[in-house]
Amino acid sequence: MALLTDLINLNLSDYTEKIIAEYIWVGGSGTDLRSKARTLPGPVTDPSQLPKWNYDGSSTGQAPGKDSEVILCPQAIFKDPFRKGNNILVMCDCYTPQGEPIPTNKRYNAAKTFSNSIVEAEETWFGIEQEYTLLQKDVNWPLGWPIGGFPGPQGPYYCAAGADKAFGRDVVDAHYKACLYAGVKISGVNGEVMPGQWEFQVGPCAAISAGDHLWIARYILERITEITGVVLSLDPKPIPGDWNGAGAHTNYSTKSMRSDGGYEVIKEAIHKLGLRHKDHISAYGQGNERRLTGRHETADIDTFVWGVANRGASIRVGRDTEKSGKGYFEDRRPASNMDPYVVTSMIAETTLLWQPN
C-alpha cells in the first residue's frame, strides 16, 4: 500500500508529459491569495502559452452572484516547489468577461505605469523587505510566546539563534529554499526584532516583476505555514504596545540614480515623495496607522522626514549611496500587508511622471 507521502512525491514526468498549473490570484480583500489547479498537455515556458481561465468571483468578494464569472489572465510563471517536476505556479490578474480589469486588479494599472516610455527608459529596480509574524494556529498568538503571556523585552531576538530566541526557523528555511527553487528572486532572510517575527527580501527586480515575485513568495509562505500548522500574519501591528510592527520597506533606484550624479536625482525624487506623502500613506497598507507611531524604527504617520542611515525616517538613504554619490533609497512607510503592485508603481509614477504644480 502506497503511503500518502509517496503519492504526494510522485514524479509525474516519469509517467506523462502532462503537467499541473496552479493558477494564483489576489482575492477580494486585496491581501488574500486564492488558487486552483488545472492539467495542461505538456510543459510551458511562457505565460502567452497558457490558456485564460475563470473562477467564481462571488465566492471571493469580487463579483455579484448573478454575474459571478471572473477571467484569469496568466502573467508570470514560476516552478512549483510543492509538486516539482515540470509543474508550475502561475501568477494571474483578473478581468470581467468583457475584458475590463476588476477593481481589485491592481496589476493592470501598475503595468500601464511601467510600460510608459519615460519609466521604461529609467529601468526601475525594486527590493522589498517583507516582514511577517508567525502565529500559533488555535490561539493567534506569536510562535514561541507563552499563551496569554509575553516573552522578555525586545533586544535578544533580532537575527538571533537559540531555542529561547528564534521561533519558526524551519518554516523560514523551507520558504527560502522553496522560493529559490521556484525562481523567485529572494535575496535573503533574517529574524526580526519582535520574537516570532521574520523577514525575507525580494529583489532586485525590474518594474512590474517586483510585484509578481513578492506575491508568489507570499503564496509559497502561505502554503508552507499551511503544511506546518502555523498561521501567517501580515498585520502591520500584530501585538499592541511596546513591540515592533511589521513593514515592507521598499528599496528603489532608477538608471539615473545609479549613474554618476545620481545622488541629486535621489534627493529630487525624495522631495516629490514628500509632497505626496498623504497620497502614498493612504495606499501603503491597511492598519498602517497602528504601526507608524514614531516609536519603533518608523516616522510618525503624519510626518515626512528623510535622512542618511536614519531608521526612524520615512525615507532612509544608505551610507554607501551618500559616499558614492549614487545608488538607491529605502521607503520605510509601506506596511507588511501592502500591495506591491500599488506601492512600486506609485513610487515610479511620483518620482518619474508626476510634476508638482
Side-chain angles (χ1 to χ4, degrees):
M1 177 69 70
L3 298 174
L4 181 59
T5 53
D6 295 332
L7 298 174
I8 291 173
N9 293 324
L10 276 176
N11 185 351
L12 295 181
S13 59
D14 289 341
Y15 306 99
T16 178
E17 291 186 359
K18 294 180 179 179
I19 68 162
I20 301 171
E22 191 77 28
Y23 280 49
I24 301 163
W25 69 96
V26 180
S29 72
T31 59
D32 61 312
L33 283 163
R34 307 292 179 120
S35 74
K36 64 178 188 173
R38 68 181 295 167
T39 304
L40 298 176
V44 176
T45 58
D46 189 272
S48 63
Q49 300 172 309
L50 290 165
K52 294 179 180 180
W53 205 10
N54 63 73
Y55 67 93
D56 171 19
S58 68
S59 296
T60 62
Q62 294 172 294
K66 61 182 180 181
D67 187 15
S68 64
E69 188 171 290
V70 179
I71 308 302
L72 289 168
C73 290
Q75 299 293 353
I77 291 177
F78 298 82
K79 293 172 65 178
D80 188 337
F82 304 103
R83 296 187 175 108
K84 303 186 183 70
N86 292 320
N87 303 300
I88 55 175
L89 305 177
V90 184
M91 191 66 210
C92 304
D93 62 352
C94 307
Y95 298 80
T96 67
Q98 292 74 38
E100 296 296 321
I102 65 172
T104 52
N105 180 355
K106 305 303 182 183
R107 192 186 192 280
Y108 178 81
N109 283 330
K112 286 173 64 177
T113 296
F114 286 118
S115 64
N116 181 285
S117 60
I118 296 172
V119 178
E120 282 188 332
E122 279 293 343
E123 299 175 8
T124 54
W125 291 359
F126 296 92
I128 303 174
E129 305 169 33
Q130 176 69 69
E131 295 177 338
Y132 61 93
T133 309
L134 297 175
L135 305 177
Q136 301 171 60
K137 183 179 178 182
D138 296 322
V139 293
N140 280 333
W141 201 236
L143 203 64
W145 291 36
I147 295 176
F150 297 87
Q154 295 181 156
Y157 309 106
Y158 174 70
C159 295
D164 59 339
K165 296 181 285 291
F167 312 114
R169 191 183 297 277
D170 53 346
V171 172
V172 174
D173 277 356
H175 175 250
Y176 197 173
K177 291 181 179 179
C179 283
L180 287 171
Y181 177 94
V184 171
K185 289 186 177 180
I186 187 169
S187 50
V189 300
N190 61 266
E192 266 305 329
V193 177
M194 190 182 85
Q197 198 170 79
W198 296 82
E199 175 187 299
F200 66 87
Q201 302 92 35
V202 166
C205 296
I208 194 74
S209 69
D212 294 334
H213 281 249
L214 188 67
W215 275 119
I216 290 295
R218 285 176 174 178
Y219 175 81
I220 291 172
L221 185 55
E222 285 273 23
R223 288 284 302 275
I224 290 172
T225 55
E226 172 190 326
I227 293 167
T228 55
V230 176
V231 175
L232 168 64
S233 171
L234 295 182
D235 191 301
K237 186 71 173 180
I239 304 296
D242 195 21
W243 302 98
N244 272 34
H249 303 157
T250 302
N251 299 275
Y252 171 66
S253 73
T254 65
K255 184 177 181 180
S256 296
M257 294 175 191
R258 297 187 295 269
S259 303
D260 290 343
Y263 196 39
E264 293 303 314
V265 180
I266 287 172
K267 288 192 286 187
E268 176 58 27
I270 293 173
H271 175 67
K272 285 185 172 184
L273 289 170
L275 294 177
R276 297 188 74 189
H277 177 62
K278 289 185 178 180
D279 294 336
H280 280 255
I281 286 294
S282 68
Y284 272 19
Q286 302 170 16
N288 211 11
E289 71 283 352
R290 293 183 282 114
R291 166 180 164 260
L292 295 180
T293 62
R295 294 182 59 196
H296 297 94
E297 298 186 354
T298 60
D300 179 86
I301 195 168
D302 295 318
T303 302
F304 182 88
V305 60
W306 76 276
V308 177
N310 183 0
R311 294 188 176 276
S314 311
I315 304 290
R316 181 185 69 86
V317 175
R319 289 285 183 204
D320 286 345
T321 295
E322 180 190 41
K323 183 178 179 179
S324 63
K326 58 185 176 182
Y328 71 97
F329 64 83
E330 174 192 44
D331 190 338
R332 298 178 62 80
R333 297 172 295 172
S336 50
N337 59 11
M338 63 82 158
D339 187 322
Y341 295 134
V342 172
V343 169
T344 57
S345 62
M346 195 170 191
I347 291 173
E349 196 272 334
T350 294
T351 60
L352 296 175
L353 302 178
W354 182 70
Q355 295 298 328
N357 293 325

